[in-house]
Amino acid sequence: MPAHRRASDNTTTKPLKLGVFHILLALAERDNYGYALMQAAREASDGHVPLSPGSFYRHLAKLMDDGLVVEALARRAGDDPRRGADYRLTPRGHRVLAGERRRLAALVAAIDGLGLVPRKGHA
């Protein structure tokens, strides 16, 4: 049985690593090849998640092992044939990303529920 079939969907309750979150977020926008995906994840984080090629491809390999990302079979018209494989989010990847959205929304709601109002002059 493949690893992603054995793995439970409890990853939806655990916080995602920032690099992983931004890779999934970038793939939710569109299928992409490795280098462009790494750049999109960096840009989506406003540079706060500095992904090196080594860490990016380790994250990507783990995402593929977990069944969240797969290589896209078809290439887009006009793509350079020398370029690497395109990757896409799986339905499970979409569910995990949606779970992370719910988790983050609950955190924001909890903070909002505290009724904290910043005092003048404080951030």
Side-chain angles (χ1 to χ4, degrees), residues 29-120:
E29 276 190 52
R30 67 183 282 232
D31 295 356
N32 223 330
Y33 65 100
Y35 182 77
L37 182 55
M38 182 174 63
Q39 292 300 106
R42 284 177 181 162
E43 289 172 15
S45 75
D46 234 0
H48 295 291
V49 180
L51 288 169
S52 69
S55 65
F56 168 77
Y57 283 104
R58 275 191 300 277
H59 287 315
L60 186 60
K62 176 88 169 94
L63 289 168
M64 292 176 75
D65 287 347
D66 290 346
L68 305 180
V69 174
V70 293
E71 279 189 32
L73 298 177
R75 287 188 168 276
R76 291 183 297 242
D79 279 353
D80 185 339
R82 297 170 294 174
R83 194 177 76 193
D86 273 8
Y87 300 95
R88 70 174 171 80
L89 211 52
T90 64
R92 183 166 188 261
H94 282 283
R95 287 193 306 273
V96 167
L97 190 56
E100 183 70 352
R101 183 205 173 281
R102 286 189 300 275
R103 188 187 73 78
L104 293 171
L107 286 174
V108 170
I111 292 168
D112 288 348
L114 293 174
L116 298 176
V117 178
R119 289 180 280 176
K120 192 170 187 167

